[in-house]
């Protein structure tokens, strides 16, 4: 395995703790796929679940042995210390951990005295014996053992001596790492820093940190633990986890690599961060957070004109890192906050050099501000902005077709089923076309009518697909006189783009967004509207 070394552990528990997030329900195939992504990223350990506790996790470890070819990570089985009053060698749950074939086992142990007495219903002394016996048994079976001290910080606050005794017992029995868990997520960085430093001094054990995010401090708490000497961090991809989640793997790794200058990933893996984050989000079927640090779509997006002016001189002036280091990109957002620098940089991003023509640049800035004042938003509609820019550069509006009229009809049949029909009349390449379409709603019908009218003239539209549609009613001064904004996302199977339309009603606004979507799609296909 090509991992930096064993001096620092990046331990991922997406498949166990992350899977406890509300709304996530992973199949065995999903878990295998995520494990491959995490291994591609280069984490050191992947906690796969609790074999023996549920059939899905038992099946995962069986299939992982046959189907996973991990290059960087080791697979970890999760379980609990033996039952009170029993023997580790006779405990069926510990046997299931051994039978899983995982080379590493994480055992959860009670470290809070009240949990021992109320949840386990045993004595404090017997709990220490459960820890010792379980660790020694698994070590004798050739397994590496990590101990998760559940509710450690709460237990430390309630009974410091006992919490420390659990750590010492695990360490002396042969646990490679003792993980201090903020199970309820209530800690703050200063408390974590002081507690970890004290535990390290008092026990000499190798310490890890497992932080929940209930105070919004899981990443900060994890890094505070590292500051005090922890060399094992437990995280989940995108911060998935029970309640509000766990320490997010990507900001933790980003900080360790780029802020602490600590090599915790194999060489060349850090730029995979954004791709891996989005790939895992796809598997769990949750939209990636656009504002997630390091990997979010908006993590390096700049909107304010003041920022753009500085970035034009030096991108580092308003960016804490080069986004390419984590596989992300800088984006300039065009809005009514934009100044000349924003527009110039956005133009450059799209392949237009506006620096030599100050009048043109001024016209584009004025047009953007005028349009946004009417309700348009270009920060979420790059394709519509590029069309606006093309129009200003060429000094005229160029399109592949000219609209004569459109009409939509919505009706209700006797059986209660709605009917929606649209008719479009337009001119394209000197030919007048009239087409009708039926759809699930008036906008769907309008889209189908437009496609029917143009397909035989522009067969390239066969690849175009509308993939998302959003409507927002803009605040107006006269109630029903409010304007409507429509955002449409389109795709040609290789890329996607967004367009915007604003009008007094949703269908008219939709038409304008559709017009831009089709025009931009044909330009992407290599056609020039000037020759249409």
């Amino acid at each position: 395995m090509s991992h930096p070394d064993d001096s620092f552990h990046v331990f991922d528990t997406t498949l166990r703790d992350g899977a406890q997030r509300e709304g996530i329900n992973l199949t065995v195939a999903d878990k295998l796929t995520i494990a491959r992504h995490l291994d591609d990223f280069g984490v050191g350990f992947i906690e796969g679940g609790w074999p023996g506790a549920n059939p899905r996790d038992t099946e995962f470890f069986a299939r992982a042995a046959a189907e996973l070819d991990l290059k960087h990570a080791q697979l970890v089985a999760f379980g609990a210390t033996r039952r009170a009053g029993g023997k580790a060698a006779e405990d069926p749950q510990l046997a299931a951990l051994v039978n899983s074939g995982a080379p590493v086992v994480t055992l959860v142990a009670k470290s809070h005295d009240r949990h021992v007495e109320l949840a386990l219903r045993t004595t404090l002394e017997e709990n220490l014996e459960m820890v010792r016996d379980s660790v020694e048994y698994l070590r004798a079976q050739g397994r590496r053992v990590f101990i998760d001290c559940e509710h450690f910080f709460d237990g430390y606050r309630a009974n410091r001596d006992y919490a420390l005794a659990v750590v010492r017992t695990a360490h002396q029995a042969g646990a490679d790492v003792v993980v201090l868990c903020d199970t309820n997520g209530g800690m703050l960085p200063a408390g974590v820093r002081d507690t970890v430093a004290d535990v390290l001094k008092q026990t000499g054990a190798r310490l890890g940190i497992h932080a929940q995010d209930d105070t919004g401090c899981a990443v900060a708490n994890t890094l505070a633990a590292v500051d005090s000497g922890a060399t094992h961090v437990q995280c989940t991809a995108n911060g998935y986890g029970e309640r509000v989640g766990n320490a997010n793997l990507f900001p933790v790794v980003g900080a360790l690599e780029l802020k602490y200058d600590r090599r915790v990933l194999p060489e060349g893996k850090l730029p995979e961060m954004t791709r891996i984050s989005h790939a895992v989000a796809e598997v769990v079927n949750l939209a990636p957070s656009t504002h997630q640090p390091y990997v979010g779509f908006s993590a390096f997006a700049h909107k304010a004109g003041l920022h753009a002016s500085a970035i034009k001189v030096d991108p580092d002036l308003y960016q804490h890192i080069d986004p390419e280091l984590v596989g992300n990109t800088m984006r300039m957002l065009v809005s009514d906050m934009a100044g000349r620098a924003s527009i110039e940089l956005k133009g450059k991003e799209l392949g237009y050099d506006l620096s030599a023509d100050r009048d043109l640049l001024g016209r584009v800035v004025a047009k953007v501000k005028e349009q946004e004042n009417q309700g348009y938003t270009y920060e979420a509609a790059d394709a519509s902005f590029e069309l606006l820019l093309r129009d200003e550069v060429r000094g005229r509006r160029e399109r592949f077709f000219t609209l004569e009229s459109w009409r939509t009809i919505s009706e209700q049949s006797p059986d209660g089923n709605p009917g929606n029909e649209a008719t479009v009349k337009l001119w394209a390449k000197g030919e007048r076309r009239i087409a009708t379409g039926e759809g699930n709603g008036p906008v769907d019908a309008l889209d189908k009518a437009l496609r029917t009218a143009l397909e035989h003239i522009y067969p390239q539209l066969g690849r175009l697909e509308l993939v998302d549609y959003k409507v927002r009613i803009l605040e107006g001064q006269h109630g029903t006189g409010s304007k409507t904004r429509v955002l449409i996302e389109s795709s040609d199977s290789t890329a996607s783009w967004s367009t915007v339309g604003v009008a007094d009603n949703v269908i008219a606004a939709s038409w304008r967004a559709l017009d831009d979507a089709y025009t931009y799609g044909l330009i992407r296909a290599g056609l020039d509207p000037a020759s249409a």
Side-chain angles (χ1 to χ4, degrees), residues 3 26 58 212 229 270 306 308 339 419 475:
H3 213 267
L26 301 178
T58 303
Q212 299 291 134
L270 189 63
L306 180 63
E475 293 182 5

Side-chain angles (χ1 to χ4, degrees), residues 402-443:
T402 302
L403 176 69
E404 184 177 306
S405 68
W406 58 260
R407 179 181 61 188
T408 62
I409 301 173
S410 295
E411 59 185 5
Q412 197 82 14
S413 62
D415 60 7
N417 292 321
N420 296 280
E421 180 182 294
T423 301
V424 171
K425 300 177 183 179
L426 54 79
W427 290 82
K429 289 191 173 180
E431 182 180 342
R432 186 172 186 259
R433 297 285 298 167
I434 302 175
T436 300
E438 294 182 328
N440 294 326
V443 176

Side-chain angles (χ1 to χ4, degrees), residues 15 54 57 94 129 165 167-168 195 228 240 248 273 281 285 318 333 339 354 356 389 402 408 413 455 460 476-477 492:
L15 302 184
N54 64 74
D57 284 357
L94 293 180
E129 183 59 23
V167 175
R168 286 195 194 95
T195 303
S228 288
Y240 301 143
N248 190 333
M273 184 187 290
N285 199 29
Y318 273 97
L333 304 180
L354 305 179
L389 185 57
T402 302
T408 62
S413 62
E455 269 184 330
Q460 296 87 345
Q477 297 179 343
D492 59 6

Side-chain angles (χ1 to χ4, degrees), residues 8 10 26 32 91 108 122 146 157 258 261 274 276 322-323 327 346 394 405 424 495:
F8 196 96
V10 175
L26 301 178
L32 292 168
D91 190 277
V108 62
T122 190
F146 302 153
R157 201 159 37 223
L258 299 171
D261 199 25
T274 299
I276 296 296
D322 178 352
K346 186 64 180 179
R394 300 195 178 194
S405 68
V424 171

Side-chain angles (χ1 to χ4, degrees), residues 319-336:
Q319 293 185 156
H320 70 109
I321 63 164
D322 178 352
E324 293 185 3
L325 292 174
V326 294
N328 210 335
T329 56
M330 183 183 79
R331 295 168 51 240
M332 296 306 303
L333 304 180
V334 175
S335 75
D336 59 357

Side-chain angles (χ1 to χ4, degrees), residues 184-437:
N184 289 343
M187 292 298 292
L188 299 176
V192 171
R193 182 193 64 221
D194 293 345
T195 303
V196 172
D198 181 50
V199 175
L200 190 61
K201 179 180 178 181
Q202 298 298 326
T203 67
R206 180 174 184 179
L207 300 181
I209 180 69
H210 177 111
Q212 299 291 134
D213 201 34
D214 297 73
T215 60
C217 291
V219 171
N221 287 343
T222 300
L223 297 174
V226 172
D227 289 337
S228 288
T231 56
H232 170 112
V233 294
Q234 294 196 356
C235 308
T236 61
N238 300 321
Y240 301 143
E242 196 169 21
R243 304 188 306 278
V244 299
N246 290 41
N248 190 333
L249 173 69
F250 303 114
V252 169
V253 168
L256 291 169
E257 287 263 347
L258 299 171
K259 309 297 184 179
Y260 285 56
D261 199 25
R262 189 191 291 261
R263 301 281 77 79
V264 299
L265 296 179
E267 188 68 30
K269 290 299 182 179
L270 189 63
E272 294 291 297
M273 184 187 290
T274 299
R275 180 183 69 81
I276 296 296
S277 168
H278 294 177
V280 174
E282 287 296 322
V283 178
V284 304
N285 199 29
L286 291 174
S289 170
T290 56
H291 291 77
Q292 188 177 167
Y294 292 95
V295 299
F297 188 58
S298 299
F300 301 96
H302 303 277
K303 182 172 180 176
L306 180 63
H307 288 206
S309 298
I311 286 170
K312 184 180 171 185
V313 177
D314 181 356
D316 291 341
L317 291 174
Y318 273 97
Q319 293 185 156
H320 70 109
I321 63 164
D322 178 352
E324 293 185 3
L325 292 174
V326 294
N328 210 335
T329 56
M330 183 183 79
R331 295 168 51 240
M332 296 306 303
L333 304 180
V334 175
S335 75
D336 59 357
M337 294 184 183
R340 287 174 175 263
S342 297
I343 301 295
E344 185 178 336
L345 286 170
K346 186 64 180 179
K348 186 176 181 181
E349 183 183 313
L350 296 173
Y352 297 88
D353 183 6
L354 305 179
S355 60
D357 192 336
R358 308 307 294 174
D359 289 341
L360 171 61
L361 184 57
R363 291 200 305 275
V364 175
V365 171
K367 185 69 173 178
V368 166
K369 291 182 182 292
E370 174 193 333
Q371 290 288 91
E372 295 231 348
N373 190 50
Q374 296 298 314
Y376 281 79
T377 176
Y378 291 108
E379 64 183 79
D382 276 2
S384 286
F385 172 72
E386 185 168 350
L387 292 177
L388 179 154
L389 185 57
R390 285 175 63 99
D391 291 345
E392 292 299 326
V393 168
R394 300 195 178 194
R396 61 188 182 280
R397 179 180 170 86
E398 295 179 342
R399 294 294 184 266
F400 294 96
F401 54 90
T402 302
L403 176 69
E404 184 177 306
S405 68
W406 58 260
R407 179 181 61 188
T408 62
I409 301 173
S410 295
E411 59 185 5
Q412 197 82 14
S413 62
D415 60 7
N417 292 321
N420 296 280
E421 180 182 294
T423 301
V424 171
K425 300 177 183 179
L426 54 79
W427 290 82
K429 289 191 173 180
E431 182 180 342
R432 186 172 186 259
R433 297 285 298 167
I434 302 175
T436 300

